[in-house]
PDB file of all heavy atoms in Angstrom:
ATOM      1  N   LEU A  58       5.107   3.649 -15.821  1.00 97.00           N
ATOM      2  CA  LEU A  58       4.893   2.419 -15.054  1.00 97.00           C
ATOM      3  C   LEU A  58       5.168   2.648 -13.566  1.00 97.00           C
ATOM      4  O   LEU A  58       4.425   2.164 -12.701  1.00 97.00           O
ATOM      5  CB  LEU A  58       5.793   1.308 -15.587  1.00 97.00           C
ATOM      6  CG  LEU A  58       5.409   0.710 -16.950  1.00 97.00           C
ATOM      7  CD1 LEU A  58       6.498  -0.246 -17.433  1.00 97.00           C
ATOM      8  CD2 LEU A  58       4.069  -0.013 -16.854  1.00 97.00           C
ATOM      9  N   ALA A  59       6.227   3.380 -13.272  1.00 97.00           N
ATOM     10  CA  ALA A  59       6.618   3.592 -11.878  1.00 97.00           C
ATOM     11  C   ALA A  59       5.637   4.468 -11.116  1.00 97.00           C
ATOM     12  O   ALA A  59       5.495   4.335  -9.896  1.00 97.00           O
ATOM     13  CB  ALA A  59       8.010   4.210 -11.819  1.00 97.00           C
ATOM     14  N   SER A  60       4.963   5.372 -11.811  1.00 97.00           N
ATOM     15  CA  SER A  60       4.087   6.324 -11.122  1.00 97.00           C
ATOM     16  C   SER A  60       2.614   5.947 -11.168  1.00 97.00           C
ATOM     17  O   SER A  60       1.786   6.596 -10.521  1.00 97.00           O
ATOM     18  CB  SER A  60       4.266   7.728 -11.721  1.00 97.00           C
ATOM     19  OG  SER A  60       3.984   7.733 -13.109  1.00 97.00           O
ATOM     20  N   GLY A  61       2.263   4.890 -11.896  1.00 96.00           N
ATOM     21  CA  GLY A  61       0.861   4.519 -12.075  1.00 96.00           C
ATOM     22  C   GLY A  61       0.327   3.541 -11.048  1.00 96.00           C
ATOM     23  O   GLY A  61       0.843   3.406  -9.938  1.00 96.00           O
ATOM     24  N   SER A  62      -0.705   2.797 -11.449  1.00 96.00           N
ATOM     25  CA  SER A  62      -1.439   1.945 -10.510  1.00 96.00           C
ATOM     26  C   SER A  62      -0.652   0.728 -10.048  1.00 96.00           C
ATOM     27  O   SER A  62      -0.978   0.138  -9.012  1.00 96.00           O
ATOM     28  CB  SER A  62      -2.750   1.481 -11.150  1.00 96.00           C
ATOM     29  OG  SER A  62      -2.501   0.714 -12.320  1.00 96.00           O
ATOM     30  N   ILE A  63       0.374   0.322 -10.811  1.00 96.00           N
ATOM     31  CA  ILE A  63       1.206  -0.797 -10.346  1.00 96.00           C
ATOM     32  C   ILE A  63       2.483  -0.282  -9.694  1.00 96.00           C
ATOM     33  O   ILE A  63       3.380  -1.059  -9.389  1.00 96.00           O
ATOM     34  CB  ILE A  63       1.551  -1.773 -11.491  1.00 96.00           C
ATOM     35  CG1 ILE A  63       2.356  -1.069 -12.592  1.00 96.00           C
ATOM     36  CG2 ILE A  63       0.287  -2.398 -12.060  1.00 96.00           C
ATOM     37  CD1 ILE A  63       2.888  -2.032 -13.647  1.00 96.00           C
ATOM     38  N   GLY A  64       2.544   1.012  -9.492  1.00 96.00           N
ATOM     39  CA  GLY A  64       3.697   1.631  -8.847  1.00 96.00           C
ATOM     40  C   GLY A  64       3.266   2.561  -7.739  1.00 96.00           C
ATOM     41  O   GLY A  64       2.532   2.166  -6.818  1.00 96.00           O
ATOM     42  N   MET A  65       3.701   3.818  -7.839  1.00 95.00           N
ATOM     43  CA  MET A  65       3.502   4.788  -6.765  1.00 95.00           C
ATOM     44  C   MET A  65       2.030   5.012  -6.405  1.00 95.00           C
ATOM     45  O   MET A  65       1.657   4.982  -5.227  1.00 95.00           O
ATOM     46  CB  MET A  65       4.137   6.116  -7.172  1.00 95.00           C
ATOM     47  CG  MET A  65       4.039   7.219  -6.149  1.00 95.00           C
ATOM     48  SD  MET A  65       4.689   8.770  -6.820  1.00 95.00           S
ATOM     49  CE  MET A  65       3.419   9.160  -8.046  1.00 95.00           C
ATOM     50  N   ALA A  66       1.171   5.227  -7.404  1.00 95.00           N
ATOM     51  CA  ALA A  66      -0.243   5.484  -7.124  1.00 95.00           C
ATOM     52  C   ALA A  66      -0.905   4.268  -6.479  1.00 95.00           C
ATOM     53  O   ALA A  66      -1.724   4.402  -5.564  1.00 95.00           O
ATOM     54  CB  ALA A  66      -0.975   5.879  -8.406  1.00 95.00           C
ATOM     55  N   GLY A  67      -0.544   3.070  -6.963  1.00 96.00           N
ATOM     56  CA  GLY A  67      -1.091   1.864  -6.361  1.00 96.00           C
ATOM     57  C   GLY A  67      -0.654   1.694  -4.916  1.00 96.00           C
ATOM     58  O   GLY A  67      -1.450   1.289  -4.046  1.00 96.00           O
ATOM     59  N   GLY A  68       0.607   2.007  -4.635  1.00 94.00           N
ATOM     60  CA  GLY A  68       1.090   1.934  -3.258  1.00 94.00           C
ATOM     61  C   GLY A  68       0.375   2.910  -2.350  1.00 94.00           C
ATOM     62  O   GLY A  68       0.070   2.600  -1.188  1.00 94.00           O
ATOM     63  N   GLN A  69       0.079   4.104  -2.870  1.00 93.00           N
ATOM     64  CA  GLN A  69      -0.660   5.086  -2.081  1.00 93.00           C
ATOM     65  C   GLN A  69      -2.077   4.596  -1.789  1.00 93.00           C
ATOM     66  O   GLN A  69      -2.602   4.804  -0.695  1.00 93.00           O
ATOM     67  CB  GLN A  69      -0.704   6.425  -2.828  1.00 93.00           C
ATOM     68  CG  GLN A  69      -1.519   7.509  -2.135  1.00 93.00           C
ATOM     69  CD  GLN A  69      -0.838   8.069  -0.903  1.00 93.00           C
ATOM     70  OE1 GLN A  69       0.191   7.557  -0.461  1.00 93.00           O
ATOM     71  NE2 GLN A  69      -1.413   9.115  -0.330  1.00 93.00           N
ATOM     72  N   ALA A  70      -2.691   3.918  -2.752  1.00 94.00           N
ATOM     73  CA  ALA A  70      -4.034   3.370  -2.533  1.00 94.00           C
ATOM     74  C   ALA A  70      -4.019   2.330  -1.414  1.00 94.00           C
ATOM     75  O   ALA A  70      -4.916   2.314  -0.554  1.00 94.00           O
ATOM     76  CB  ALA A  70      -4.558   2.754  -3.831  1.00 94.00           C
ATOM     77  N   ILE A  71      -3.004   1.469  -1.421  1.00 93.00           N
ATOM     78  CA  ILE A  71      -2.874   0.470  -0.358  1.00 93.00           C
ATOM     79  C   ILE A  71      -2.653   1.157   0.979  1.00 93.00           C
ATOM     80  O   ILE A  71      -3.229   0.769   2.012  1.00 93.00           O
ATOM     81  CB  ILE A  71      -1.722  -0.500  -0.663  1.00 93.00           C
ATOM     82  CG1 ILE A  71      -2.016  -1.297  -1.936  1.00 93.00           C
ATOM     83  CG2 ILE A  71      -1.480  -1.446   0.514  1.00 93.00           C
ATOM     84  CD1 ILE A  71      -0.849  -2.150  -2.416  1.00 93.00           C
ATOM     85  N   ASP A  72      -1.830   2.209   0.977  1.00 90.00           N
ATOM     86  CA  ASP A  72      -1.536   2.954   2.203  1.00 90.00           C
ATOM     87  C   ASP A  72      -2.808   3.539   2.801  1.00 90.00           C
ATOM     88  O   ASP A  72      -3.061   3.427   4.009  1.00 90.00           O
ATOM     89  CB  ASP A  72      -0.530   4.060   1.884  1.00 90.00           C
ATOM     90  CG  ASP A  72       0.018   4.748   3.127  1.00 90.00           C
ATOM     91  OD1 ASP A  72      -0.090   4.168   4.226  1.00 90.00           O
ATOM     92  OD2 ASP A  72       0.546   5.858   3.001  1.00 90.00           O
ATOM     93  N   LEU A  73      -3.622   4.165   1.978  1.00 90.00           N
ATOM     94  CA  LEU A  73      -4.861   4.775   2.469  1.00 90.00           C
ATOM     95  C   LEU A  73      -5.826   3.714   2.996  1.00 90.00           C
ATOM     96  O   LEU A  73      -6.502   3.922   4.015  1.00 90.00           O
ATOM     97  CB  LEU A  73      -5.523   5.581   1.348  1.00 90.00           C
ATOM     98  CG  LEU A  73      -4.783   6.842   0.894  1.00 90.00           C
ATOM     99  CD1 LEU A  73      -5.432   7.416  -0.354  1.00 90.00           C
ATOM    100  CD2 LEU A  73      -4.755   7.887   2.009  1.00 90.00           C
ATOM    101  N   ALA A  74      -5.882   2.577   2.328  1.00 90.00           N
ATOM    102  CA  ALA A  74      -6.792   1.516   2.737  1.00 90.00           C
ATOM    103  C   ALA A  74      -6.330   0.802   4.005  1.00 90.00           C
ATOM    104  O   ALA A  74      -7.130   0.137   4.672  1.00 90.00           O
ATOM    105  CB  ALA A  74      -6.958   0.503   1.601  1.00 90.00           C
ATOM    106  N   SER A  75      -5.050   0.946   4.347  1.00 88.00           N
ATOM    107  CA  SER A  75      -4.497   0.208   5.490  1.00 88.00           C
ATOM    108  C   SER A  75      -4.605   0.963   6.806  1.00 88.00           C
ATOM    109  O   SER A  75      -4.265   0.411   7.862  1.00 88.00           O
ATOM    110  CB  SER A  75      -3.029  -0.121   5.224  1.00 88.00           C
ATOM    111  OG  SER A  75      -2.231   1.055   5.239  1.00 88.00           O
ATOM    112  N   VAL A  76      -5.042   2.225   6.769  1.00 86.00           N
ATOM    113  CA  VAL A  76      -5.123   3.020   7.994  1.00 86.00           C
ATOM    114  C   VAL A  76      -6.050   2.329   8.998  1.00 86.00           C
ATOM    115  O   VAL A  76      -7.191   1.976   8.683  1.00 86.00           O
ATOM    116  CB  VAL A  76      -5.633   4.443   7.699  1.00 86.00           C
ATOM    117  CG1 VAL A  76      -5.841   5.211   9.006  1.00 86.00           C
ATOM    118  CG2 VAL A  76      -4.654   5.185   6.801  1.00 86.00           C
ATOM    119  N   GLY A  77      -5.537   2.118  10.204  1.00 83.00           N
ATOM    120  CA  GLY A  77      -6.329   1.490  11.255  1.00 83.00           C
ATOM    121  C   GLY A  77      -6.349  -0.022  11.184  1.00 83.00           C
ATOM    122  O   GLY A  77      -6.990  -0.677  12.008  1.00 83.00           O
ATOM    123  N   HIS A  78      -5.647  -0.599  10.195  1.00 85.00           N
ATOM    124  CA  HIS A  78      -5.599  -2.049  10.033  1.00 85.00           C
ATOM    125  C   HIS A  78      -4.185  -2.561  10.302  1.00 85.00           C
ATOM    126  O   HIS A  78      -3.215  -1.820  10.191  1.00 85.00           O
ATOM    127  CB  HIS A  78      -6.033  -2.460   8.633  1.00 85.00           C
ATOM    128  CG  HIS A  78      -7.448  -2.091   8.301  1.00 85.00           C
ATOM    129  ND1 HIS A  78      -8.536  -2.812   8.738  1.00 85.00           N
ATOM    130  CD2 HIS A  78      -7.948  -1.044   7.587  1.00 85.00           C
ATOM    131  CE1 HIS A  78      -9.644  -2.253   8.299  1.00 85.00           C
ATOM    132  NE2 HIS A  78      -9.317  -1.160   7.605  1.00 85.00           N
ATOM    133  N   THR A  79      -4.084  -3.823  10.623  1.00 85.00           N
ATOM    134  CA  THR A  79      -2.788  -4.443  10.848  1.00 85.00           C
ATOM    135  C   THR A  79      -2.335  -5.146   9.575  1.00 85.00           C
ATOM    136  O   THR A  79      -3.078  -5.958   9.015  1.00 85.00           O
ATOM    137  CB  THR A  79      -2.860  -5.470  11.999  1.00 85.00           C
ATOM    138  OG1 THR A  79      -3.272  -4.794  13.190  1.00 85.00           O
ATOM    139  CG2 THR A  79      -1.505  -6.103  12.235  1.00 85.00           C
ATOM    140  N   LEU A  80      -1.143  -4.812   9.128  1.00 89.00           N
ATOM    141  CA  LEU A  80      -0.564  -5.469   7.963  1.00 89.00           C
ATOM    142  C   LEU A  80       0.519  -6.434   8.399  1.00 89.00           C
ATOM    143  O   LEU A  80       1.193  -6.215   9.410  1.00 89.00           O
ATOM    144  CB  LEU A  80       0.041  -4.441   7.007  1.00 89.00           C
ATOM    145  CG  LEU A  80      -0.880  -3.410   6.354  1.00 89.00           C
ATOM    146  CD1 LEU A  80      -0.082  -2.553   5.378  1.00 89.00           C
ATOM    147  CD2 LEU A  80      -2.040  -4.081   5.644  1.00 89.00           C
ATOM    148  N   THR A  81       0.699  -7.492   7.638  1.00 91.00           N
ATOM    149  CA  THR A  81       1.848  -8.354   7.861  1.00 91.00           C
ATOM    150  C   THR A  81       3.087  -7.641   7.321  1.00 91.00           C
ATOM    151  O   THR A  81       2.989  -6.676   6.550  1.00 91.00           O
ATOM    152  CB  THR A  81       1.691  -9.699   7.140  1.00 91.00           C
ATOM    153  OG1 THR A  81       1.679  -9.465   5.717  1.00 91.00           O
ATOM    154  CG2 THR A  81       0.398 -10.393   7.553  1.00 91.00           C
ATOM    155  N   ARG A  82       4.243  -8.128   7.686  1.00 92.00           N
ATOM    156  CA  ARG A  82       5.472  -7.525   7.183  1.00 92.00           C
ATOM    157  C   ARG A  82       5.539  -7.641   5.664  1.00 92.00           C
ATOM    158  O   ARG A  82       5.980  -6.699   4.987  1.00 92.00           O
ATOM    159  CB  ARG A  82       6.679  -8.196   7.832  1.00 92.00           C
ATOM    160  CG  ARG A  82       8.006  -7.661   7.333  1.00 92.00           C
ATOM    161  CD  ARG A  82       9.154  -8.196   8.154  1.00 92.00           C
ATOM    162  NE  ARG A  82      10.441  -7.864   7.545  1.00 92.00           N
ATOM    163  CZ  ARG A  82      11.625  -8.159   8.088  1.00 92.00           C
ATOM    164  NH1 ARG A  82      11.682  -8.765   9.264  1.00 92.00           N
ATOM    165  NH2 ARG A  82      12.740  -7.825   7.473  1.00 92.00           N
ATOM    166  N   ALA A  83       5.087  -8.764   5.116  1.00 94.00           N
ATOM    167  CA  ALA A  83       5.107  -8.949   3.666  1.00 94.00           C
ATOM    168  C   ALA A  83       4.182  -7.947   2.976  1.00 94.00           C
ATOM    169  O   ALA A  83       4.523  -7.384   1.923  1.00 94.00           O
ATOM    170  CB  ALA A  83       4.699 -10.373   3.312  1.00 94.00           C
ATOM    171  N   GLN A  84       3.006  -7.706   3.555  1.00 94.00           N
ATOM    172  CA  GLN A  84       2.077  -6.732   2.981  1.00 94.00           C
ATOM    173  C   GLN A  84       2.647  -5.318   3.048  1.00 94.00           C
ATOM    174  O   GLN A  84       2.499  -4.529   2.106  1.00 94.00           O
ATOM    175  CB  GLN A  84       0.736  -6.792   3.716  1.00 94.00           C
ATOM    176  CG  GLN A  84      -0.058  -8.062   3.456  1.00 94.00           C
ATOM    177  CD  GLN A  84      -1.285  -8.179   4.352  1.00 94.00           C
ATOM    178  OE1 GLN A  84      -1.269  -7.763   5.517  1.00 94.00           O
ATOM    179  NE2 GLN A  84      -2.355  -8.737   3.806  1.00 94.00           N
ATOM    180  N   LEU A  85       3.295  -5.006   4.154  1.00 93.00           N
ATOM    181  CA  LEU A  85       3.910  -3.686   4.312  1.00 93.00           C
ATOM    182  C   LEU A  85       5.017  -3.485   3.275  1.00 93.00           C
ATOM    183  O   LEU A  85       5.124  -2.409   2.666  1.00 93.00           O
ATOM    184  CB  LEU A  85       4.482  -3.534   5.723  1.00 93.00           C
ATOM    185  CG  LEU A  85       5.109  -2.180   6.063  1.00 93.00           C
ATOM    186  CD1 LEU A  85       4.051  -1.085   6.077  1.00 93.00           C
ATOM    187  CD2 LEU A  85       5.828  -2.240   7.416  1.00 93.00           C
TER     188      LEU A  85
END
């Protein structure tokens, strides 16, 4: 659970998609 799409891998996907974009503090 921790390493899959609702954990680490999912966070990495959000990280890659956020490059060049502004996130709110809550989104970060």
Side-chain angles (χ1 to χ4, degrees):
L58 288 172
S60 58
S62 61
I63 61 172
M65 181 185 70
Q69 177 73 352
I71 296 172
D72 189 19
L73 292 171
S75 69
V76 174
H78 298 281
T79 300
L80 297 184
T81 65
R82 178 171 171 177
Q84 290 172 325
L85 182 66

